[in-house]
Structure formats: C-alpha cells, structure tokens
Amino acid sequence: MKKRALSALLCLALCFALAGQAAAAEGGVSFTVNGTPLAEDVRSYAEDGTTYVSYGAILFALYPDATAVWANGRAEVAAEGLTMYLKPGAKYIEANGRCLYVPGGVRSEDGVILVPVRTLCQALGAEAVWDSATNTVNITAASGPIVSGDSYYDAEDLDLLSRLIYAESGNQPLEGKIAVGNVVLNRVASPLFPNTVADVIYQPNQFAPAGSGHLSRTPNAESVVAAKLCLDGANTAGNALYFVNPVTSPGSWASRNRPYVATIGAHAFYA
C-alpha cells in the first residue's frame, strides 16, 4: 500500500511540471504532440498555477481513431484501450475506471470542455514538458492510456476505504470524504501506525464504525469516487493523522495534543 500510494503521488508530480504558467498564459501557449505542432488553436489559460486546456485537439492528435460524444451530461470518450468521461463541474476525470482529481473542477466554456493539462496527460498516458523559451507544451505519447482501475487499485483496499469514508463522512462534501481517506493512507505510511489499510481501519479504539458494524453498509457512489481519488494521490488533508467532529467531540485528545491542519466540512483534521 505504501508503494502504491507513493507511486500515485510521484505520477502526479512527474506527469507535468508547468513552471512559469502565468507568464505563459500572457504570451499565449502553443502545443506540440509527438513533435508536431497542433494545426488548430487550442484554447488554454492558467489559473492558480494550473493550466486548463481544451481536451479535444490533444486527444485526437494522440488517438486519431478516438470518438467523443456528448451523453448523460458529459463527454464520453472512447479509443483503443481508453474509456474516459469528462463532466463539467465534476472535480475529477474518470479514465479506465480510475478517478483523477481536478480540484478546480472540469470547465465548460462556449461548449468547449477544459481540463488541467497534467491530468489530461495522465489519463491519456502521455508525457508533457514545458518549454519556457517558446511558451510551448511538448506532449509525447508514452506506453498507452492510463492503467485500468481493476489493475491499479487493490480491490480489498478500495472496498474497505470506501466503506470507512462512507461511514465517517458520507454526508460531507467530496473534499471532506477525500480528507478522511487521506487520514487512513497517511497512517498506512506512518511508522506510528499499522502498514495496511485493513489494519489501520481495524486498529482498536481508532475508527468507531469499525467496531459498530457500520462498515457493513454499502457506500454511496461519491464515497467510492473519494476512495479512488485518494488511492490515485488526491490530498485535501495534508499530513493529517486524526480527525474529529468538534461539535460532537469538543475538547478531543487530538485537538489538545496534535497540530491543527484544517477544517473541512464538519471535521477538523490534525497531524
């Protein structure tokens, strides 16, 4: 589990480092795919350190035989080895059963869907390099689309993490669900706690649902999405190892003894 979580974080960090994005946005960004400049203009802009790009031109340059249709309120993409869904307003892209975090949400402007370049590259199995001298994003095909969720996620970890997230934060916003999952995975990675998802969750006197039978409840869809996002490296809780509801647990041990990290929804998180 440690290696898998670390791999996800490294993938996000290495997939695309877009230095100087604000300056690039002012001067206009160009794109190449496998060394060939894209013939058509690609809509893009930088916001809070993230470059959004219209996905279509890059998709079809990498996968000429791809299809993209609008159905069920989202763009549904199919290509060899790839199934991808992009829903405006959603805070993630779904690709081959994986969920990739988009904190600012998938955008739609004048009927054009825009997503963060590095997230799109991860889904499409591409590598991207920013050339600051020419304001160009150079995108190169790698070994194929993103590995499927069935292969990437440990099924037992995903199921148990989804159930814990649902039991602890099923009524919380997506960011809060992710944060609860982060606490579990942070503990897995910490020498202070057991080193598997199951052992962390079932450690005595840690997570109330583990002892109350509430983990038997089927998680809702967003709790499963949150678990996938966590396993793919999404993090909203930093290095938090504890969380409490300050309304139902005022003066908790964590609030008195551990560094405060953030409050997300109904929960306060501590490292």
Side-chain angles (χ1 to χ4, degrees):
M1 186 62 246
K2 291 182 182 179
K3 292 181 179 178
R4 191 175 293 276
L6 179 59
S7 175
L9 291 171
L10 288 174
C11 182
L12 286 173
L14 296 175
C15 181
F16 186 59
L18 195 56
Q21 288 174 318
E26 293 175 359
V29 178
S30 299
F31 295 83
T32 70
V33 175
N34 294 329
T36 302
L38 290 182
E40 61 184 284
D41 292 335
V42 180
R43 185 181 301 186
S44 65
Y45 62 87
E47 181 179 288
D48 298 328
T50 297
T51 291
Y52 277 78
V53 62
S54 52
Y55 80 95
I58 295 172
L59 166 69
F60 292 114
L62 287 168
Y63 298 92
D65 296 329
T67 61
V69 299
W70 181 261
N72 304 307
R74 63 189 183 181
E76 299 188 349
V77 174
E80 184 176 357
L82 174 68
T83 301
M84 181 170 67
Y85 303 116
L86 305 97
K87 183 174 183 178
K91 293 194 173 182
Y92 61 94
I93 290 172
E94 185 176 351
N96 287 349
R98 302 269 293 276
C99 290
L100 308 178
Y101 195 34
V102 182
V106 175
R107 309 288 176 84
S108 179
E109 297 181 359
D110 303 322
V112 177
I113 294 178
L114 298 101
V115 295
V117 171
R118 66 176 181 178
T119 310
L120 179 63
C121 286
Q122 184 182 2
L124 299 180
E127 297 179 352
V129 176
W130 168 248
D131 185 341
S132 60
T134 60
N135 284 354
T136 301
V137 178
N138 297 307
I139 297 170
T140 306
S143 57
I146 191 169
V147 173
S148 73
D150 288 342
S151 298
Y152 182 78
Y153 303 126
D154 181 284
E156 293 183 1
D157 285 350
L158 176 59
D159 179 65
L160 188 53
L161 187 60
S162 300
R163 291 174 184 273
L164 189 279
I165 289 172
Y166 179 57
E168 292 280 16
S169 59
N171 63 347
Q172 296 301 301
L174 179 61
E175 293 82 357
K177 291 182 175 70
I178 293 171
V180 167
N182 291 155
V183 167
V184 174
L185 297 187
N186 286 346
R187 289 189 177 196
V188 170
S190 169
L192 301 176
F193 295 92
N195 61 4
T196 70
V197 168
D199 287 345
V200 162
I201 290 176
Y202 284 111
Q203 186 177 17
N205 304 316
Q206 296 300 309
F207 298 101
S212 67
H214 286 172
L215 294 186
S216 64
R217 297 186 301 174
T218 301
N220 60 16
E222 190 169 77
S223 295
V224 176
V225 167
K228 288 184 176 183
L229 289 168
C230 290
L231 292 169
D232 253 304
N235 188 305
T236 61
N239 61 344
L241 295 169
Y242 306 87
F243 65 90
V244 297
N245 185 326
V247 174
T248 59
S249 301
S252 66
W253 177 88
S255 67
R256 290 182 287 107
N257 294 278
R258 306 300 299 185
Y260 172 77
V261 174
T263 296
I264 304 174
H267 291 130
F269 292 82
Y270 300 88

